Amino acid sequence: MATWSNLNLQNSASPLMEQIIFFHDHTLVILIMITILVSYLMINLFFNNYINRFLLEGQLIELIWTIIPAITLIFIALPSLRLLYLLDEMNNPLITLKSIGHQWYWSYEFSDFNNIEFDSYMINYEKDNLNNFRLLDVDNRIILPMNNQIRILITATDVIHSWTIPSLGIKIDANPGRLNQGSLFINRPGIFFGQCSEICGANHSFMPIVIESISIKNFINWINNYS
């Protein structure tokens, strides 16, 4: 979960988010190197008093400053293409979770298990209870097993919402009358927070998302107890 002093991306809880963070760092290093090089050349130009009167054209230097950016773009494009392939949808998911956005709460369905359905509302923050996270905790969390392929179907009943979990690297729009599909793979246990990322009305900031990742054995016990 992000905190007030956290300037970086959240710690990853899925292979996809891990690769996104690696790609972010890789691109940032390249951008810093370009910025330093261009800044150095500009400073040198400002303090350079020499003028070449006979310089009419410089085909060699133009060739160099055309080839170098092309090579730089290749170093950025190849990891980006790899990341796009990782975003592809899976073939054999273990569980399908359906998420439905409302004004202003989420409802969920586990249609694989005798149509388990529940609504998820934000818990009001109380100063006396320090265990709750302000504007982030809900009364019914999404329980999902870790280390398993999970398909998520997302839609809405009224206006456009956006189902977002930053630490899992997933952000999918919930459009009324349309079913969007995404995939999850959580590689560690924990509680992961998210929020609606589409301005959907007066209480847009009061419909958080909470996923609790547990082992497959505990998940089966939860399903049996819920049924």
Side-chain angles (χ1 to χ4, degrees):
M1 183 183 71
T3 59
W4 67 272
S5 61
N6 188 5
L7 301 178
N8 299 318
L9 297 170
Q10 294 186 25
N11 293 333
S12 66
S14 68
L16 176 60
M17 187 59 188
E18 187 176 331
Q19 294 300 318
I20 291 175
I21 293 174
F22 287 159
F23 177 67
H24 168 269
D25 296 344
H26 170 78
T27 309
L28 194 62
V29 167
I30 294 176
L31 292 177
I32 291 173
M33 292 171 61
I34 293 172
T35 304
I36 293 173
L37 176 62
V38 173
S39 301
Y40 172 76
L41 293 176
M42 290 181 66
I43 292 172
N44 273 348
L45 286 174
F46 279 123
F47 294 100
N48 184 11
N49 296 322
Y50 298 104
I51 298 174
N52 190 341
R53 296 187 295 122
F54 304 103
L55 180 62
L56 298 177
E57 59 180 20
Q59 294 183 353
L60 179 61
I61 189 65
E62 289 188 8
L63 182 66
I64 291 173
W65 71 40
T66 302
I67 292 176
I68 290 178
I71 296 174
T72 305
L73 289 176
I74 291 174
F75 275 100
I76 296 175
L78 291 180
S80 176
L81 291 173
R82 180 172 174 272
L83 196 57
L84 284 175
Y85 279 107
L86 287 175
L87 288 169
D88 283 348
E89 296 170 356
M90 64 193 69
N91 294 324
N92 299 310
L94 178 72
I95 299 167
T96 298
L97 170 69
K98 185 176 181 181
S99 174
I100 305 168
H102 306 267
Q103 288 183 315
W104 286 273
Y105 65 97
W106 296 96
S107 61
Y108 300 99
E109 299 177 5
F110 285 93
S111 53
D112 298 327
F113 306 102
N114 297 324
N115 288 327
I116 295 177
E117 302 177 4
F118 58 90
D119 297 331
S120 182
Y121 289 87
M122 187 188 74
I123 296 175
N124 291 328
Y125 179 72
E126 298 177 358
K127 292 184 178 179
D128 297 333
N129 188 359
L130 299 178
N131 294 323
N132 291 343
F133 293 106
R134 181 176 178 271
L135 302 183
L136 284 177
D137 230 335
V138 296
D139 54 357
N140 290 315
R141 295 172 176 173
I142 311 166
I143 309 298
L144 292 174
M146 63 178 181
N147 294 329
N148 286 282
Q149 298 283 1
I150 300 163
R151 175 173 56 192
I152 178 164
L153 305 175
I154 299 174
T155 187
T157 58
D158 35 49
V159 298
I160 299 176
H161 302 275
S162 185
W163 200 85
T164 307
I165 303 287
S167 58
L168 300 180
I170 186 168
K171 182 179 186 293
I172 303 174
D173 285 343
N175 299 313
R178 179 174 177 176
L179 205 62
N180 288 331
Q181 179 173 319
S183 58
L184 290 174
F185 187 93
I186 308 172
N187 57 11
R188 62 185 174 91
I191 300 174
F192 310 107
F193 296 91
Q195 291 174 302
C196 176
S197 299
E198 188 75 32
I199 299 177
C200 56
N203 292 330
H204 156 68
S205 58
F206 304 111
M207 49 183 301
I209 305 158
V210 181
I211 289 181
E212 185 173 347
S213 172
I214 59 177
S215 66
I216 186 66
K217 180 180 179 181
N218 291 334
F219 176 76
I220 294 172
N221 292 334
W222 176 78
I223 291 292
N224 292 331
N225 294 331
Y226 201 95
S227 302

